[in-house]
Amino acid sequence: MLIEPDISVQQVLMRFPGLTTGHANEERAFIEASIFEAAQAGSLTEIIEALATKSEEYMRSDGIQKLMRLFCKTRNAITALTAELVIATLKQQERVGLLSVALQQAMLNEQSAVGNLPADLLICGSLQPDRLLRKEVKAIALRGASIPHLEITAELTGGRKLTFEDCIFDELDLSFNSDSIGSVSFHRCRVQRLSCAQDVANCIRDVGLEPGDVEETSVIDATNADIMEMSIPAQLKVLKIILRKLFQQKGSGRRRGAFYRGIHGIDPDIVDRCLTALLKSGIAYVVGAQHSDDAVWHPNRAHARRVAFLVDTLSIPDDAVVQEIL
């Protein structure tokens, strides 16, 4: 398990229908990772609210300290699903402004400054940085975090400096151009899979990543920022970004939430229309319920040549998928 439950609730958890015994030592584990991720979102929201109070007395209370201890010793930072649920809760409560305050406090708090908690909050903010991260947050520093996936976009780096020290990334997407290279720096970090544009790859040492720090690099022709600057309809911009994530970035599929990042200022409903069109055309297939946040989308490599044309073309192509979304 990613978080060891308090001894007082272990008997209840043993009877929880979402748990199963699948280990040699009969240790209980979640049947679906999404069950854990959804439960984790509620606890993280509580921590955000607590940190945002800036009250040392409240932070020292027994309930908050239990949560803080749990989140300060997780093996990995949160997934996109957990982040999406946290943001959905904050939006529903009209309290999205708390995230920036909580992130700043987490970086200052001696208990949480090193570890995954600040990374958890950054992952939340990376979903919609222009709305979720205040402009006064000029510097974000993470230390000793283990991050499953992070996409650093031009919107996330805009007007702020991101520093990572002694961090481990399973997947790192640098979705910005080389002119933003000075906004990010890495120190003694390890990256399993790195995706970036060629101009960024050419100067990757300038951000502090040496060849030995990255196990696998995927060089792509264009970043999300490049696509967003094109003089084409918003629907085609979104389609290009989705196809780029599906076909050009390494990995075993993309959760639905990944397609909503990097589309600054565009109606998310367009993402839904594009995904539906790709599914209908057979260019992509989905494991799980189509509209579920936990659904994993995969590319149909039989359409690789067609997709390459759709991503690279500078004009509006005469393609059935494009006609479907326009």
Coordinates of all heavy atoms in Angstrom, one line a residue, residues 65-124:
Q65 N -2.0 16.4 12.0 CA -0.7 15.7 12.1 C -0.7 14.3 11.6 O 0.3 13.9 11.0 CB -0.2 15.8 13.6 CG 0.5 17.1 14.0 CD 1.7 17.4 13.1 OE1 2.7 16.6 13.1 NE2 1.7 18.5 12.4
K66 N -1.8 13.6 11.8 CA -1.9 12.2 11.3 C -1.8 12.3 9.8 O -1.1 11.5 9.1 CB -3.2 11.6 11.8 CG -3.1 11.1 13.2 CD -4.4 10.4 13.6 CE -4.4 9.9 15.1 NZ -5.6 9.2 15.5
L67 N -2.6 13.2 9.2 CA -2.6 13.3 7.7 C -1.3 13.7 7.2 O -0.8 13.2 6.2 CB -3.7 14.3 7.3 CG -5.1 13.8 7.4 CD1 -6.1 15.0 7.0 CD2 -5.4 12.6 6.5
M68 N -0.6 14.7 7.8 CA 0.7 15.2 7.4 C 1.7 14.1 7.4 O 2.5 13.9 6.5 CB 1.1 16.3 8.3 CG 0.4 17.6 8.0 SD 0.7 18.4 6.4 CE 2.4 18.9 6.7
R69 N 1.7 13.3 8.5 CA 2.7 12.2 8.6 C 2.5 11.2 7.5 O 3.4 10.6 6.9 CB 2.6 11.5 9.9 CG 3.2 12.3 11.1 CD 3.4 11.4 12.3 NE 2.1 11.1 12.9 CZ 1.5 11.8 13.8 NH1 2.0 12.9 14.3 NH2 0.3 11.4 14.3
L70 N 1.2 10.9 7.1 CA 0.9 10.0 6.0 C 1.4 10.5 4.7 O 2.1 9.8 3.9 CB -0.6 9.7 6.0 CG -1.2 8.9 7.1 CD1 -2.7 8.8 7.0 CD2 -0.6 7.5 7.2
F71 N 1.1 11.7 4.4 CA 1.5 12.3 3.1 C 3.0 12.6 3.0 O 3.5 12.7 1.9 CB 0.7 13.5 2.8 CG -0.6 13.2 2.1 CD1 -1.8 13.0 2.9 CD2 -0.8 13.2 0.8 CE1 -3.0 12.7 2.3 CE2 -2.0 12.8 0.2 CZ -3.1 12.6 0.9
C72 N 3.6 12.7 4.1 CA 5.1 13.0 4.1 C 5.9 11.7 4.0 O 7.1 11.8 3.8 CB 5.5 13.7 5.4 SG 5.0 15.4 5.5
K73 N 5.3 10.6 4.0 CA 6.0 9.3 3.8 C 5.5 8.4 2.7 O 5.7 7.2 2.7 CB 6.1 8.5 5.1 CG 4.7 8.0 5.6 CD 4.9 7.2 6.9 CE 3.6 6.6 7.4 NZ 3.8 5.8 8.6
T74 N 4.7 9.0 1.8 CA 4.2 8.3 0.6 C 5.4 7.9 -0.2 O 6.4 8.6 -0.3 CB 3.2 9.1 -0.2 OG1 3.8 10.3 -0.6 CG2 1.9 9.3 0.6
R75 N 5.2 6.8 -1.0 CA 6.3 6.3 -1.8 C 6.4 7.2 -3.1 O 7.5 7.4 -3.6 CB 6.1 4.9 -2.2 CG 6.1 3.9 -1.1 CD 5.9 2.5 -1.6 NE 5.8 1.5 -0.5 CZ 5.4 0.3 -0.6 NH1 5.1 -0.2 -1.8 NH2 5.3 -0.5 0.5
N76 N 5.2 7.6 -3.6 CA 5.2 8.4 -4.8 C 4.2 9.6 -4.6 O 3.3 9.5 -3.8 CB 4.7 7.6 -6.0 CG 5.6 6.4 -6.2 OD1 6.7 6.5 -6.7 ND2 5.1 5.2 -6.0
A77 N 4.4 10.6 -5.4 CA 3.5 11.7 -5.5 C 2.2 11.2 -6.1 O 2.1 10.1 -6.7 CB 4.1 12.9 -6.2
I78 N 1.2 12.0 -6.1 CA -0.2 11.6 -6.6 C -0.2 11.5 -8.1 O 0.6 12.0 -8.8 CB -1.2 12.6 -6.1 CG1 -1.0 14.0 -6.7 CG2 -1.3 12.7 -4.6 CD1 -2.1 15.0 -6.5
T79 N -1.2 10.8 -8.5 CA -1.5 10.6 -10.0 C -2.4 11.8 -10.4 O -2.9 12.5 -9.7 CB -2.2 9.3 -10.2 OG1 -3.5 9.3 -9.6 CG2 -1.4 8.1 -9.7
A80 N -2.6 11.8 -11.8 CA -3.4 12.8 -12.4 C -4.9 12.7 -11.9 O -5.6 13.7 -11.7 CB -3.4 12.7 -13.9
L81 N -5.3 11.4 -11.7 CA -6.7 11.2 -11.2 C -6.9 11.9 -9.8 O -7.9 12.6 -9.6 CB -7.0 9.7 -11.2 CG -8.4 9.4 -10.6 CD1 -9.5 10.0 -11.4 CD2 -8.6 7.9 -10.5
T82 N -6.0 11.6 -8.9 CA -6.1 12.3 -7.6 C -6.1 13.8 -7.7 O -7.0 14.5 -7.1 CB -5.0 11.8 -6.7 OG1 -5.0 10.4 -6.6 CG2 -5.1 12.4 -5.3
A83 N -5.2 14.3 -8.5 CA -5.2 15.8 -8.7 C -6.5 16.3 -9.3 O -7.0 17.4 -8.8 CB -4.0 16.1 -9.6
E84 N -7.1 15.6 -10.2 CA -8.3 16.1 -10.8 C -9.4 16.1 -9.8 O -10.3 17.0 -9.8 CB -8.7 15.2 -12.0 CG -7.8 15.4 -13.2 CD -7.8 14.2 -14.2 OE1 -8.6 13.3 -14.0 OE2 -6.9 14.2 -15.1
L85 N -9.5 15.1 -9.0 CA -10.5 15.1 -7.9 C -10.3 16.2 -6.9 O -11.3 16.8 -6.4 CB -10.5 13.7 -7.3 CG -11.0 12.5 -8.1 CD1 -10.7 11.2 -7.4 CD2 -12.4 12.7 -8.5
V86 N -9.1 16.4 -6.6 CA -8.8 17.5 -5.6 C -9.3 18.9 -6.2 O -10.0 19.7 -5.5 CB -7.3 17.6 -5.3 CG1 -7.0 18.9 -4.5 CG2 -6.9 16.4 -4.5
I87 N -8.9 19.1 -7.4 CA -9.3 20.4 -8.1 C -10.8 20.5 -8.2 O -11.4 21.6 -8.0 CB -8.6 20.5 -9.4 CG1 -7.0 20.6 -9.2 CG2 -9.0 21.8 -10.2 CD1 -6.6 21.6 -8.2
A88 N -11.4 19.4 -8.6 CA -12.9 19.4 -8.7 C -13.5 19.8 -7.4 O -14.5 20.5 -7.4 CB -13.4 18.0 -9.2
T89 N -13.0 19.3 -6.3 CA -13.5 19.6 -5.0 C -13.3 21.1 -4.6 O -14.3 21.7 -4.2 CB -12.9 18.7 -3.9 OG1 -13.1 17.3 -4.2 CG2 -13.4 19.0 -2.5
L90 N -12.1 21.6 -4.9 CA -11.9 23.0 -4.6 C -12.7 23.9 -5.5 O -13.2 24.9 -5.0 CB -10.4 23.3 -4.8 CG -9.4 22.6 -3.9 CD1 -8.0 22.9 -4.2 CD2 -9.7 23.0 -2.4
K91 N -12.9 23.5 -6.7 CA -13.8 24.3 -7.6 C -15.2 24.3 -7.1 O -15.9 25.4 -7.1 CB -13.7 23.8 -9.0 CG -12.4 24.1 -9.8 CD -12.4 23.6 -11.2 CE -11.2 24.0 -11.9 NZ -11.2 23.4 -13.3
Q92 N -15.7 23.2 -6.7 CA -17.0 23.1 -6.2 C -17.3 24.0 -5.0 O -18.3 24.6 -4.8 CB -17.4 21.6 -5.9 CG -18.8 21.4 -5.5 CD -19.1 19.9 -5.2 OE1 -18.3 19.2 -4.6 NE2 -20.2 19.4 -5.6
Q93 N -16.2 24.0 -4.2 CA -16.3 24.9 -2.9 C -15.9 26.3 -3.2 O -15.9 27.1 -2.3 CB -15.4 24.3 -1.9 CG -15.8 22.8 -1.4 CD -14.7 22.2 -0.5 OE1 -13.6 22.8 -0.3 NE2 -15.1 21.1 0.1
E94 N -15.5 26.6 -4.5 CA -15.0 27.9 -4.8 C -13.9 28.4 -4.0 O -13.8 29.5 -3.5 CB -16.2 29.0 -4.7 CG -17.3 28.7 -5.7 CD -18.4 29.7 -5.7 OE1 -18.4 30.6 -4.8 OE2 -19.3 29.7 -6.6
R95 N -12.9 27.4 -3.8 CA -11.7 27.7 -3.0 C -10.4 27.3 -3.7 O -9.5 26.9 -3.0 CB -11.9 26.9 -1.7 CG -13.2 27.1 -0.9 CD -13.2 26.3 0.4 NE -12.4 27.0 1.4 CZ -12.2 26.4 2.6 NH1 -12.7 25.2 2.9 NH2 -11.5 27.0 3.5
V96 N -10.4 27.5 -5.0 CA -9.2 27.1 -5.7 C -8.0 28.0 -5.3 O -6.8 27.6 -5.5 CB -9.4 27.2 -7.3 CG1 -10.4 26.2 -7.7 CG2 -9.8 28.7 -7.6
G97 N -8.2 29.2 -4.8 CA -7.1 30.0 -4.3 C -6.3 29.4 -3.2 O -5.2 29.9 -2.9
L98 N -6.9 28.5 -2.5 CA -6.2 27.8 -1.4 C -4.9 27.1 -1.8 O -4.0 26.9 -1.1 CB -7.1 26.9 -0.6 CG -8.3 27.5 0.1 CD1 -9.1 26.4 0.9 CD2 -8.0 28.6 1.0
L99 N -5.0 26.6 -3.1 CA -3.9 25.7 -3.6 C -2.5 26.4 -3.5 O -1.5 25.9 -3.1 CB -4.2 25.2 -5.0 CG -3.1 24.2 -5.5 CD1 -3.0 23.0 -4.7 CD2 -3.5 23.9 -7.0
S100 N -2.5 27.7 -4.0 CA -1.3 28.4 -4.1 C -0.7 28.7 -2.7 O 0.5 28.5 -2.4 CB -1.5 29.8 -4.8 OG -1.7 29.6 -6.2
V101 N -1.6 29.0 -1.8 CA -1.2 29.3 -0.4 C -0.7 28.0 0.2 O 0.4 28.0 0.9 CB -2.4 29.8 0.5 CG1 -1.9 30.1 1.9 CG2 -3.0 31.1 -0.2
A102 N -1.4 26.9 0.0 CA -0.9 25.6 0.6 C 0.4 25.2 0.0 O 1.3 24.7 0.8 CB -2.0 24.5 0.3
L103 N 0.6 25.4 -1.3 CA 1.9 25.0 -1.9 C 3.1 25.8 -1.2 O 4.1 25.3 -0.9 CB 1.9 25.3 -3.4 CG 3.2 25.0 -4.2 CD1 3.7 23.6 -3.9 CD2 2.9 25.3 -5.7
Q104 N 2.9 27.1 -1.1 CA 3.9 27.9 -0.5 C 4.2 27.5 1.0 O 5.3 27.4 1.4 CB 3.5 29.4 -0.5 CG 3.5 30.0 -1.9 CD 3.0 31.4 -2.0 OE1 1.9 31.7 -1.5 NE2 3.8 32.3 -2.6
Q105 N 3.1 27.2 1.7 CA 3.3 26.8 3.1 C 4.0 25.4 3.2 O 4.8 25.2 4.1 CB 1.9 26.7 3.8 CG 1.3 28.1 4.0 CD 2.2 29.0 4.9 OE1 2.6 28.6 6.0 NE2 2.5 30.2 4.4
A106 N 3.6 24.5 2.3 CA 4.2 23.2 2.3 C 5.7 23.3 2.0 O 6.5 22.5 2.6 CB 3.6 22.3 1.2
M107 N 6.2 24.2 1.2 CA 7.6 24.4 0.9 C 8.3 25.0 2.1 O 9.5 24.8 2.3 CB 7.8 25.2 -0.4 CG 7.3 24.5 -1.7 SD 7.8 25.5 -3.1 CE 6.7 26.9 -3.0
L108 N 7.6 25.7 2.9 CA 8.2 26.4 4.1 C 8.2 25.5 5.3 O 9.0 25.6 6.2 CB 7.5 27.7 4.4 CG 7.6 28.8 3.3 CD1 6.7 30.0 3.7 CD2 9.1 29.3 3.2
N109 N 7.2 24.6 5.4 CA 7.0 23.8 6.5 C 8.1 22.8 6.7 O 8.4 22.0 5.7 CB 5.6 23.0 6.4 CG 5.3 22.3 7.6 OD1 5.9 21.3 8.0 ND2 4.2 22.7 8.3
E110 N 8.8 22.7 7.8 CA 9.9 21.9 8.0 C 9.5 20.4 7.9 O 10.3 19.6 7.4 CB 10.5 22.1 9.4 CG 11.7 21.3 9.8 CD 12.3 21.7 11.1 OE1 11.9 22.7 11.7 OE2 13.1 20.9 11.6
Q111 N 8.3 20.1 8.3 CA 7.9 18.7 8.2 C 7.7 18.2 6.8 O 7.9 17.0 6.5 CB 6.6 18.5 9.0 CG 6.0 17.1 9.1 CD 4.7 17.0 9.8 OE1 4.1 18.1 10.2 NE2 4.2 15.8 10.0
S112 N 7.2 19.1 5.9 CA 6.9 18.7 4.5 C 7.7 19.2 3.4 O 7.5 18.8 2.3 CB 5.4 19.1 4.3 OG 5.3 20.5 4.3
A113 N 8.7 20.1 3.7 CA 9.5 20.7 2.7 C 10.2 19.7 1.8 O 10.4 19.9 0.6 CB 10.5 21.7 3.3
V114 N 10.7 18.6 2.4 CA 11.4 17.6 1.6 C 10.4 16.4 1.5 O 10.0 15.8 2.5 CB 12.7 17.1 2.3 CG1 13.4 16.0 1.5 CG2 13.6 18.3 2.4
G115 N 10.2 15.9 0.3 CA 9.3 14.8 0.1 C 8.2 15.1 -0.9 O 8.3 16.0 -1.8
N116 N 7.2 14.3 -0.9 CA 6.2 14.3 -2.0 C 5.1 15.3 -1.9 O 4.4 15.6 -2.8 CB 5.6 12.9 -2.1 CG 6.6 11.9 -2.7 OD1 7.4 12.2 -3.5 ND2 6.4 10.7 -2.2
L117 N 4.8 15.9 -0.7 CA 3.7 16.7 -0.5 C 3.7 18.0 -1.4 O 2.7 18.3 -2.1 CB 3.5 17.1 1.0 CG 2.3 18.0 1.3 CD1 1.0 17.3 0.8 CD2 2.2 18.3 2.8
P118 N 4.8 18.7 -1.4 CA 4.9 19.9 -2.4 C 4.7 19.4 -3.8 O 4.0 20.1 -4.6 CB 6.3 20.5 -2.1 CG 6.6 20.1 -0.7 CD 6.0 18.7 -0.6
A119 N 5.2 18.2 -4.1 CA 5.0 17.7 -5.5 C 3.5 17.4 -5.8 O 3.0 17.7 -6.9 CB 5.8 16.5 -5.7
D120 N 2.8 16.9 -4.8 CA 1.4 16.6 -4.9 C 0.7 17.9 -5.3 O -0.2 17.9 -6.2 CB 0.8 16.1 -3.6 CG 1.4 14.7 -3.2 OD1 1.8 14.0 -4.1 OD2 1.3 14.4 -2.0
L121 N 1.0 19.0 -4.6 CA 0.3 20.2 -4.8 C 0.7 20.9 -6.2 O -0.1 21.5 -6.9 CB 0.6 21.2 -3.7 CG 0.3 20.7 -2.3 CD1 0.6 21.7 -1.2 CD2 -1.2 20.3 -2.2
L122 N 2.0 20.7 -6.6 CA 2.4 21.2 -7.9 C 1.6 20.4 -9.0 O 1.2 21.0 -10.0 CB 3.9 21.0 -8.1 CG 4.4 21.4 -9.5 CD1 4.1 22.9 -9.8 CD2 5.9 21.1 -9.6
I123 N 1.5 19.1 -8.8 CA 0.8 18.3 -9.9 C -0.6 18.8 -10.0 O -1.2 18.9 -11.1 CB 0.8 16.8 -9.5 CG1 2.3 16.3 -9.6 CG2 -0.1 16.0 -10.4 CD1 2.5 14.9 -9.0
C124 N -1.3 19.1 -8.9 CA -2.6 19.7 -8.9 C -2.6 21.0 -9.7 O -3.4 21.2 -10.6 CB -3.1 19.9 -7.5 SG -3.5 18.4 -6.6

